[in-house]
Amino acid sequence: GTVLLGGSQQEFGFGLRQQYFHKCVLLILAHDERVFTQGVIVNRPTSLQTAKGWRIWYGGDVRGINAPMREQETVCLHRLTAPIARDLSRKVMEGIMVTTLSNAEALVDAGQATPEDFWVFVGYAGWAPNQLQNEIDNRESWHVAAASSSVLIDELIAQSKGEDTLGAGIEVWNSMMTRIGKRERVADPSLTFADLMLKEWARAHLLDDKSEALESLLRTARRRAQIGSGTPAGTLLRSRSPSKFVLDKQFLHKALLLVLQDDPEVTIAVVLNRPTENKAVFQSIKEPQARRICFGGEIAGGGTGLVWLHHRDELKRNGVGVPVGQGEFGDRGIWKCSSDQALLAINSAQASPADFLLVRGFCMWPKGPLAVSVTEAEAWRGKQALAEGGLQAEVHDGTFQHVMGLPQGCWEKILVGTSMGCSGLAMRCPVLTY
C-alpha cells in the first residue's frame, strides 16, 4: 500500500536506461522483505486496450506489454465495496483493492461493476529482498508519499479522462510531488534530458502498434534460419539509423563494427571506434607505453577478454595472427592475433604497442531458433527485443550498412584514438562521416 515517487536527482539517472522509472508514481502491491517486493507504476497510461476495449496502463518491466501475450501479467485496481467484489479481490491500501482481469470482467458481465470502475495494469516492477529499501535509504531514488487512497484514485481518474500517452505521466508526478511538499523539485518547467528520453520511451513503447510489432519480430526471427547469413567473419559495418539506439545500446550510434564470427546460430562482432579510459600498460619495452582499450560490446569475453587486432603488412608477412575472414565481404585486411603473439612481436621489436587495437567485449546477434528464444526472453524482461531477429536483417532494414573497404587513413585514425594523448571522443574514420 505504500506510494513511492521516483526521484529525479539521484547520481545515476534514468536518461539512458530504464526510462520508465524516471518520475514514476509507484504503488506497492506486495512486500515480503525475505522474498520479494512487487509494485505497479500508476502514471504510465498507454493507448493500448484489452480485448474488451479497456484502457491499459504500463505497470512495469516484468511480464509487461513488451512480453509475448502468454507471458504478460495483468492486474486491475478498483475501489468497489460490494461483497462480491471484495471476495474476488485483495486489499492493497484503505479504499483500494486489486484483482485479476478475468475477475474484473466477470464482475462487469454480472452487472456488479462497469469497465470504468477498473484500472488495468500490464506488467509490474520487482525487487529482490532489501533491494528497494536500500534504494530508498541510500540512493535518493525514491520519495515515500503517504498518500490517501482518494488522492491516488483521483490522479488515476484524471489520466483515464484524457491523459496523453506521450506526456508519459510527468504532470501526474509533478502534482504528487507538490502534494507531499516537494514543490521545489518541480519548480523548473523546462524538460530535462531524462524527461525527453522518457517521452521518447513512451512514444516507442506505449502506442498501440507494439503487439503487432512483436509478432512480426517473432515471425521474422523464425524465418531467420532460411535467410542466410550475409555477414561472414571479416565483414565491416557502420550503423546508419540513430533512432534505433536512442533508448538502448547507445554505444552502437555511429559505430564501426567488425564481424569476428558467423555460424548457423550466432553472429559476433566488435565495435572498433569506442576507446575507453581503461588502458593496457606495456612494461617490458625500453619505455613503458599505454594504450586505451576499446569497448567492443556489452558482453564480456573470457579470460582477459582482450581481442588484439592489427592492419600492418609486415606483421602479416611474419605470420603474426590470422586474417579476420575471407571472401567478398570477409576480407578487409584486418588480422586478429593472440596476446602471446602480439607481445612476442613487441618484445622482439617487430612491432610496437601502437600497431595494435585492443578491444574488450563483443556484441551478439542470435539466429534461427536461438533468435526466437532470446527475443522472447528479452521481451519478457521488458527489454528492447531483437530488431528483426538478427544482424543480417538489421542490414536489410538499413540499421547497418556494409563498408566495402577501409579508406586510406581510417585504420590509422582508429589507432590514434586509442593513444593515451587522445580523448577518443571525436574519433571518426572518413567512411563514418555522417
Side-chain angles (χ1 to χ4, degrees):
T2 301
V3 176
L4 300 175
L5 305 182
S8 61
Q9 296 183 338
Q10 59 265 41
E11 182 179 359
F12 300 103
F14 295 114
L16 296 179
R17 59 185 178 86
Q18 297 181 304
Q19 291 86 1
Y20 44 85
F21 277 133
H22 176 65
K23 292 187 176 179
C24 74
V25 181
L26 185 89
L27 174 64
I28 300 300
L29 297 182
H31 172 68
D32 186 329
E33 62 183 17
R34 297 167 301 177
V35 182
F36 186 62
T37 299
Q38 179 185 22
V40 289
I41 299 171
V42 298
N43 64 325
R44 299 285 184 259
T46 80
S47 62
L48 305 171
Q49 295 183 340
T50 69
K52 294 192 174 184
W54 300 8
R55 190 177 188 182
I56 290 173
W57 271 257
Y58 175 88
D61 57 335
V62 182
R63 304 177 78 97
I65 59 175
N66 290 329
M69 189 67 69
R70 66 180 181 276
E71 300 286 356
Q72 294 178 4
E73 181 168 317
T74 305
V75 298
C76 300
L77 295 180
H78 67 86
R79 51 181 178 178
L80 298 170
T81 58
I84 187 173
R86 289 183 172 275
D87 289 343
L88 294 174
S89 307
R90 174 174 59 84
K91 181 179 177 180
V92 176
M93 62 190 300
E94 191 61 39
I96 297 183
M97 309 288 286
V98 63
T99 190
T100 64
L101 178 59
S102 60
N103 284 342
E105 291 174 340
L107 288 169
V108 172
D109 292 341
Q112 299 294 315
T114 68
E116 290 72 25
D117 290 322
F118 298 98
W119 292 271
V120 182
F121 296 87
V122 176
Y124 61 87
W127 291 266
N130 299 315
Q131 180 184 357
L132 180 58
Q133 189 63 50
N134 180 63
E135 293 180 11
I136 294 172
D137 294 341
N138 302 320
R139 289 171 45 188
E140 295 189 10
S141 297
W142 303 97
H143 303 289
V144 179
S148 68
S149 61
S150 62
V151 170
L152 179 63
I153 293 298
D154 286 346
E155 296 296 347
L156 289 172
I157 290 174
Q159 291 182 49
S160 66
K161 288 184 177 179
E163 176 74 9
D164 181 11
T165 295
L166 296 182
I170 291 176
E171 289 304 316
V172 174
W173 182 86
N174 288 345
S175 174
M176 295 291 283
M177 288 288 284
T178 300
R179 288 177 184 271
I180 68 170
K182 300 288 186 181
R183 185 177 180 84
E184 73 280 359
R185 299 291 178 91
V186 299
D188 185 358
S190 61
L191 292 174
T192 66
F193 168 73
D195 291 341
L196 295 172
M197 292 296 285
L198 171 60
K199 290 195 171 193
E200 176 63 21
W201 173 86
R203 183 199 64 76
H205 291 274
L206 303 186
L207 298 182
D208 60 7
D209 60 349
K210 295 304 294 178
S211 177
E212 174 56 31
L214 180 59
E215 289 306 313
S216 173
L217 176 75
L218 292 175
R219 286 196 301 270
T220 304
R222 292 185 185 102
R223 295 195 303 268
R224 186 65 180 84
Q226 285 76 45
I227 290 176
S229 172
T231 51
T235 301
L236 277 174
L237 301 168
R238 68 166 186 166
S239 59
R240 300 187 63 206
S241 177
S243 63
K244 289 287 187 73
F245 309 118
V246 171
L247 298 174
D248 189 32
K249 297 185 177 181
Q250 292 88 354
F251 62 88
L252 289 176
H253 176 60
K254 293 189 176 181
L256 179 64
L257 294 176
L258 173 66
V259 176
L260 297 182
Q261 175 184 328
D262 186 71
D263 59 42
E265 293 188 343
V266 69
T267 300
I268 292 175
V270 292
V271 181
L272 299 180
N273 58 329
R274 293 290 179 265
T276 71
E277 289 299 316
N278 296 322
K279 60 185 179 181
V281 179
F282 298 84
Q283 299 282 7
S284 59
I285 52 182
K286 292 182 180 179
E287 294 183 5
Q289 296 184 36
R291 303 291 297 174
R292 294 184 188 276
I293 297 174
C294 284
F295 174 82
E298 75 273 44
I299 303 174
T304 63
L306 285 179
V307 176
W308 295 70
L309 302 171
H310 73 81
H311 195 267
R312 187 175 169 187
D313 289 338
E314 182 180 348
L315 295 179
K316 298 174 187 178
R317 289 192 294 270
N318 291 337
V320 180
V322 294
V324 181
Q326 296 178 347
E328 179 183 2
F329 291 112
D331 185 2
R332 297 296 175 264
I334 300 174
W335 282 42
K336 175 185 175 183
C337 63
S338 67
S339 58
D340 288 341
Q341 288 176 312
L343 293 175
L344 179 61
I346 292 171
N347 291 332
S348 63
Q350 296 181 61
S352 75
D355 291 322
F356 295 95
L357 184 71
L358 279 65
V359 183
R360 176 176 287 143
F362 60 89
C363 309
M364 183 178 73
W365 284 266
K367 307 181 197 176
L370 182 59
V372 175
S373 62
V374 172
T375 292
E376 292 181 338
E378 292 294 282
W380 187 89
R381 299 185 181 112
K383 296 184 179 181
Q384 184 175 352
L386 293 173
E388 298 299 319
L391 179 56
Q392 177 57 31
E394 293 198 47
V395 174
H396 287 162
D397 71 13
T399 301
F400 296 99
Q401 180 184 46
H402 282 283
V403 177
M404 302 310 295
L406 280 174
Q408 183 69 31
C410 182
W411 185 258
E412 288 73 16
K413 201 162 190 177
I414 291 175
L415 293 179
V416 168
T418 63
S419 67
M420 291 307 295
C422 176
S423 68
L425 296 178
M427 184 190 70
R428 289 190 291 183
C429 303
V431 72
L432 296 181
T433 300
Y434 289 78

